[in-house]
Amino acid sequence: MPTDIGEAKKALRKAILQKRRHMDEAVCRWYGRQFARKIIDMPEYKEADTILCYAACKGEADTWILIEKALEMGKRVALPRVTGPAEMHFYKITSMKDVAPGYYDIPEPVETCQEEVSEGFLVVPGTAFDRQMHRMGYGGGFYDRWLKRYGSQVTACGLAYDFQLRNEIPFERHDRMMDIVITPDEVIRKGDAADDND
């Protein structure tokens, strides 16, 4: 059994990523359509002029459909680019031509995209989420660090396949919480878990 939170997170991360690695690309795209449909219907999304979104790769819940729809709807769209150790910033893109493989082959805005964005509706990746709105990332601390700085300026929405949502996950003080977690079947908002106990 893992002896501390760090070890517990490492074990859970390994198990989930192993499962996600075996997901077929067509299945990821199908889920991407479901997630995009759910998000576009949400009042938080409709009210937002700006969408900050991760560029899906390696079995992550597909966001490309959502990114394309947001561009079509005339919303300002920004994706993250790694700028240093555990450091990233979101930069505005105007089309899919503004995106190319970057850090660890993850799609990023190209260097000519210079307009930095730090507020709006934020779609966040992760390896696991729980019903208390905790998120477990990939261990690099990129999103935790960014959210510590800009979290008050965004509505943070985590995307999770069913097997990535747990009742509880290991949680550390520096881990940033989500405002919304979306699965293929549910939209969970901050406060929902507390309301269940009333």
Side-chain angles (χ1 to χ4, degrees):
M1 285 292 287
T3 52
D4 62 18
I5 290 175
E7 287 300 311
K9 286 171 85 170
K10 202 183 284 184
L12 180 57
R13 188 178 289 125
K14 186 179 175 184
I16 287 178
L17 290 179
Q18 204 166 359
K19 193 166 185 175
R20 207 183 69 186
R21 215 170 282 129
H22 292 101
M23 290 186 68
D24 186 77
E25 213 173 290
V27 174
C28 294
R29 277 199 301 274
W30 184 85
Y31 277 117
R33 284 193 291 276
Q34 310 308 308
F35 284 125
R37 215 169 278 141
K38 269 190 166 66
I39 290 170
I40 288 166
D41 279 344
M42 291 168 58
E44 294 92 340
Y45 176 88
K46 288 177 180 173
E47 288 162 18
D49 297 323
T50 303
I51 307 303
L52 299 87
C53 193
Y54 70 91
C57 65
K58 301 171 187 174
E60 288 177 326
D62 195 313
T63 54
W64 294 106
I65 297 151
L66 180 66
I67 292 166
E68 286 173 352
K69 290 278 185 202
L71 287 167
E72 280 169 23
M73 293 166 84
K75 290 184 183 285
R76 187 167 65 146
V77 178
L79 305 183
R81 183 168 72 226
V82 171
T83 53
E87 193 75 36
M88 69 175 190
H89 296 280
F90 282 83
Y91 294 94
K92 181 188 170 187
I93 64 165
T94 54
S95 79
M96 298 311 242
K97 291 176 184 169
D98 289 340
V99 184
Y103 178 81
Y104 275 93
D105 273 341
I106 297 166
E108 295 184 334
V110 294
E111 289 292 332
T112 50
C113 298
Q114 288 293 317
E115 186 183 327
E116 195 177 334
V117 179
S118 57
E119 59 183 17
F121 184 90
L122 170 68
V123 182
V124 185
T127 53
F129 299 87
D130 69 19
R131 293 181 177 280
Q132 287 70 49
M133 314 310 283
H134 299 134
R135 168 189 175 268
M136 189 173 75
Y138 297 98
F142 288 96
Y143 276 87
D144 287 327
R145 186 171 290 196
W146 191 90
L147 282 164
K148 187 174 184 182
R149 192 179 298 168
Y150 302 113
S152 63
Q153 297 170 202
V154 296
T155 299
C157 173
L159 294 191
Y161 298 123
D162 289 327
F163 63 85
Q164 291 179 286
L165 179 69
R166 305 294 170 107
N167 286 330
E168 280 185 324
I169 59 172
F171 182 73
E172 295 173 277
R173 187 180 294 174
H174 64 260
D175 294 332
R176 312 310 291 180
M177 293 174 77
M178 299 291 97
D179 298 297
I180 304 165
V181 174
I182 297 180
T183 76
D185 302 315
E186 293 182 81
V187 175
I188 306 160
R189 285 178 169 80
K190 193 182 275 186
D192 285 356
D195 293 343
D196 290 345
N197 299 324
D198 287 351

